[in-house]
Amino acid sequence: MNQNNQSRLEGVKDKLLTVKDWILDHRKIVMPAILIVCVFITVLVAVNANQRDKLEKEAEAASLAAEQQMEEEVQDMPAYDLEENAYPEVNNVVRAYYDAQASGDMETISGLNTYLNDIQKIKVEELSKYIESYPQLDVYTKPGLTDNTYVAYVCSEVKFYDLETTIPGMQTYYIGQDENGNYYINNGTYDDTVSSYIKEVTLQDDVVDLNNKVVVAYNDLLAEDENLSEFLAYMKEKINEDVGEILAQAEQPEQTEEETGETTDETAEETAPVAIKARATDVVNIRVSDSEQADKLGKAQVDQEFTVLEQKENGWSKIEYEGKDAYIKSDYLEVISEEPAEADITQEDNTDSTDNAQNTTGDASTDTENTGSTASIGKAPGDQVKVKETVRVRKSASTDSDVLGTAYVGDTFELVMEQADGWSKVKYKGSNAFIKSEYLE
């Protein structure tokens, strides 16, 4: 057997030597042939790579074209005038919805708005305990993208128990009809086209003016009555605590008689924090710590999802961002899971504008960018505002407007009006001028 293997090995060696000798004898022919083969392989690889790059670029261009087309379709929509109480059917569904919120009628609320998750339902029910009525509701509408749909801006006056003053607010809804012709309310679950359309409409002048009117009225109330601010802060904190307790109780495992009989004084187990999923309801700054003065790590985009690690009592949420801990204002996060968090459940409740003093009423701790939301400095007209970062002073509320000058850190100005479009009107050298609200405090 060994002799046979050795014979075969010798035969292979002889053939290799023969091939080697043949190549050496014909090297003038063989070497150019090898070179041609190598060049051919190189060309083939390059062509395939170019085709792959071409396909990737074509796919990217197609995606960009689709996005641009969608934006153009939204921008090409005619600028309809804002109509006040023009559609009785829409007014009726809004009135029924707000009356149900005041009375805590969750069956009616769930029937009119099927987009609420369990946490939002609990929050609405707890809020209803403080609301006596909505004595005034005005519904301003613009046509939606399809027939029998509307972008509705509901301006309300809410009356709380033990308060004589009614509080103004404004909430945005997308109202449509179901297959049976019944109107329903959608307050946040949109596709990209509807979402872009609502943003475009909301930034139109007549809607911004309406929002500013509500903001001014709300700020004037807070400036006149310190007790009102304390009441709203207490109500929000208490609702958060109550919602957290309800969720914690719902998640506690059922105990047997033996377990509950061990210690009658210890009837509740400690609940470990649970990381929940939430999405951003607006463009908002992501910061390194829970402070508006903290360094910015980035910006959350609308509908961008995050894992919430902790919801703090100071109105901030700790999130996971690019593998690190970061912070976002809780008012601009909406919980999309049904898992419990810690006691401070501070997701934004789009179903009722009173959760943050009617949504568009200028929370003093707002940390959003210019996306049609309320400005962020929380000052009343006539107050002094201070510049946090060097910023341009402009003639009108636009980055394309003429520059009147530069405001430096520490400069102060008299606030004329805090606008809902992310700008603040201030007194500058005896005249009105505009500064981005995010640079003021």
Side-chain angles (χ1 to χ4, degrees):
M1 181 68 68
N2 291 334
Q3 291 180 350
N4 289 335
N5 290 337
Q6 187 172 5
S7 299
R8 289 177 183 175
L9 183 59
E10 292 293 335
V12 171
K13 289 181 178 179
D14 291 340
K15 289 181 180 179
L16 290 175
L17 290 173
T18 302
V19 171
K20 179 182 177 182
D21 292 338
W22 185 87
I23 291 174
L24 292 175
D25 293 339
H26 301 82
R27 57 182 177 273
K28 291 183 179 181
I29 298 175
V30 174
M31 297 306 293
I34 294 175
L35 181 60
I36 291 173
V37 171
C38 293
V39 170
F40 176 76
I41 293 174
T42 302
V43 171
L44 184 61
V45 171
V47 169
N48 288 335
N50 289 336
Q51 289 179 341
R52 184 168 57 254
D53 291 341
K54 182 179 179 181
L55 290 174
E56 290 176 354
K57 290 179 180 179
E58 289 177 352
E60 183 178 350
S63 176
L64 181 60
E67 292 178 2
Q68 290 176 343
Q69 182 179 358
M70 183 179 70
E71 292 177 359
E72 290 172 359
E73 289 176 355
V74 171
Q75 292 173 357
D76 290 341
M77 295 295 295
Y80 296 102
D81 291 335
L82 198 61
E83 298 180 291
E84 180 181 0
N85 299 322
Y87 302 95
E89 299 89 347
V90 175
N91 277 49
N92 289 340
V93 73
V94 170
R95 169 51 71 182
Y97 189 65
Y98 274 70
D99 286 346
Q101 289 186 86
S103 63
D105 182 357
M106 298 310 300
E107 183 177 355
T108 298
I109 290 173
S110 299
L112 293 175
N113 187 348
T114 60
Y115 298 93
L116 296 179
N117 60 37
D118 288 348
I119 293 178
Q120 290 172 320
K121 291 177 182 177
I122 295 172
K123 202 166 189 180
V124 171
E125 191 169 10
E126 291 301 307
L127 181 61
S128 69
K129 298 175 181 178
Y130 298 85
I131 300 174
E132 182 176 335
S133 65
Y134 287 94
Q136 182 67 34
L137 287 177
D138 291 306
V139 183
Y140 297 82
T141 53
K142 291 202 175 192
L145 286 172
T146 58
D147 292 340
N148 298 317
T149 61
Y150 304 90
V151 181
Y153 303 95
V154 181
C155 292
S156 62
E157 296 281 341
V158 59
K159 173 69 171 65
F160 291 105
Y161 291 110
D162 302 325
L163 278 184
E164 296 182 1
T165 305
T166 58
I167 301 176
M170 189 176 92
Q171 175 67 45
T172 304
Y173 299 103
Y174 196 69
I175 297 178
Q177 281 185 333
D178 61 21
E179 61 275 7
N180 297 319
N182 300 316
Y183 281 96
Y184 65 89
I185 290 176
N186 185 339
N187 67 326
T189 308
Y190 321 117
D191 59 29
D192 291 340
T193 302
V194 173
S195 180
S196 297
Y197 177 72
I198 292 174
K199 289 179 183 178
E200 185 72 20
V201 171
T202 302
L203 289 176
Q204 292 175 359
D205 291 341
D206 50 1
V207 179
V208 172
D209 290 341
L210 177 64
N211 201 6
N212 286 339
K213 180 180 177 182
V214 175
V215 170
V216 170
Y218 174 75
N219 285 339
D220 288 345
L221 278 179
L222 293 186
E224 295 170 1
D225 189 352
E226 293 182 0
N227 293 331
L228 178 60
S229 297
E230 294 178 0
F231 168 78
L232 294 175
Y234 164 78
M235 180 184 68
K236 182 176 179 181
E237 182 178 355
K238 188 66 168 64
I239 289 174
N240 288 332
E241 291 177 358
D242 293 343
V243 172
E245 290 178 3
I246 292 171
L247 290 172
Q249 292 174 4
E251 287 297 316
Q252 283 184 351
E254 295 184 2
Q255 294 180 326
T256 64
E257 293 183 2
E258 293 180 358
E259 291 174 329
T260 56
E262 290 180 359
T263 53
T264 56
D265 294 334
E266 298 178 1
T267 57
E269 299 179 1
E270 293 185 0
T271 304
V274 178
I276 59 178
K277 285 289 186 180
R279 65 185 174 196
T281 59
D282 208 334
V283 177
V284 61
N285 289 323
I286 301 173
R287 298 185 182 271
V288 70
S289 65
D290 54 347
S291 168
E292 291 184 17
Q293 279 69 50
D295 293 338
K296 298 178 185 178
L297 296 176
K299 285 185 176 66
Q301 302 301 314
V302 176
D303 292 334
Q304 185 175 353
E305 296 184 6
F306 300 94
T307 297
V308 179
L309 305 177
E310 179 184 358
Q311 292 179 307
K312 301 172 71 67
E313 294 183 0
N314 62 359
W316 289 83
S317 287
K318 181 193 290 187
I319 63 168
E320 182 177 321
Y321 179 69
E322 296 182 350
K324 300 178 181 179
D325 292 349
Y327 292 83
I328 288 181
K329 291 305 295 294
S330 300
D331 286 334
Y332 298 93
L333 289 177
E334 178 181 22
V335 175
I336 58 177
S337 69
E338 297 184 2
E339 299 179 10
E342 293 183 343
D344 185 17
I345 305 296
T346 56
Q347 60 132 98
E348 180 181 8
D349 180 12
N350 287 327
T351 66
D352 187 10
S353 49
T354 57
D355 182 30
N356 190 23
Q358 302 284 348
N359 189 40
T360 59
T361 51
D363 189 340
S365 60
T366 304
D367 192 29
T368 58
E369 296 297 327
N370 179 17
T371 60
S373 302
T374 312
S376 59
I377 53 178
K379 295 285 187 177
D383 288 348
Q384 293 292 311
V385 291
K386 185 166 65 173
V387 177
K388 296 189 293 185
E389 299 178 30
T390 300
V391 62
R392 299 294 180 101
V393 182
R394 296 187 180 272
K395 187 175 182 180
S396 62
S398 170
T399 53
D400 297 325
S401 175
D402 294 339
V403 176
L404 300 179
T406 301
Y408 297 94
V409 177
D411 289 350
T412 58
F413 300 93
E414 179 185 344
L415 179 66
V416 177
M417 183 173 67
E418 182 182 353
Q419 298 186 171
D421 58 357
W423 290 84
S424 288
K425 183 188 293 186
V426 300
K427 285 293 184 181
Y428 180 73
K429 295 182 178 179
S431 301
N432 289 337
F434 294 83
I435 296 176
K436 290 292 290 296
S437 299
E438 63 184 285
Y439 296 100
L440 300 174
E441 63 182 4

